[in-house]
Amino acid sequence: MKSFATVLLLALAPTLAVAAERITPIADAKRGSMVTVQGTVERITDEDEFRLADASGSIRVYVGPNWVPANEGEAVTVHGFVDDDLGPRELYARTLTRADGSVATFERRYDW
């Protein structure tokens, strides 16, 4: 029985990895959820914050207390938590992946 479970898990591993990396359109990023979004850095608004846009809309991305590791106009993928406050939606980034495949991981974790 253990070997069957192991084989099943190995067979499903690629599917699970794809599901974990599913790209959510920015307009569909729901408050209080973990999402992965992809888009272009529209504008750097502060040393630790930028605006990310795709065809569906835009969202403010917070990487603090780190510096923004991308440039305006650059295509990036961001994984993080969509703030559930009443104000404008904001994505608290956990990782940012640049077009060249380099990944910035933001060490500071937030208590949600």
Side-chain angles (χ1 to χ4, degrees):
M1 188 61 145
K2 277 187 176 180
S3 62
F4 175 74
T6 302
V7 169
L8 182 62
L9 183 58
L10 290 173
L12 290 176
T15 305
L16 296 173
V18 169
E21 292 298 320
R22 181 170 290 133
I23 304 299
T24 301
I26 290 173
D28 295 341
K30 303 289 184 225
R31 291 179 185 273
S33 66
M34 292 295 293
V35 297
T36 301
V37 294
Q38 212 170 38
T40 303
V41 177
E42 186 175 65
R43 180 172 54 130
I44 297 176
T45 56
D46 201 351
E47 61 196 26
D48 59 1
E49 188 176 86
F50 65 94
R51 194 124 197 109
L52 184 69
D54 69 7
S56 71
S58 68
I59 192 167
R60 185 171 33 191
V61 178
Y62 180 71
V63 298
N66 308 282
W67 292 90
V68 173
N71 299 309
E72 288 184 3
E74 186 173 353
V76 297
T77 302
V78 180
H79 177 76
F81 179 77
V82 182
D83 191 358
D84 57 0
D85 286 344
L86 295 176
R89 284 182 316 149
E90 185 171 29
L91 178 61
Y92 291 95
R94 288 199 174 181
T95 62
L96 180 144
T97 305
R98 299 176 81 172
D100 67 3
S102 62
V103 178
T105 301
F106 306 108
E107 295 301 322
R108 182 172 178 159
R109 298 287 189 217
Y110 302 92
D111 295 326
W112 292 295

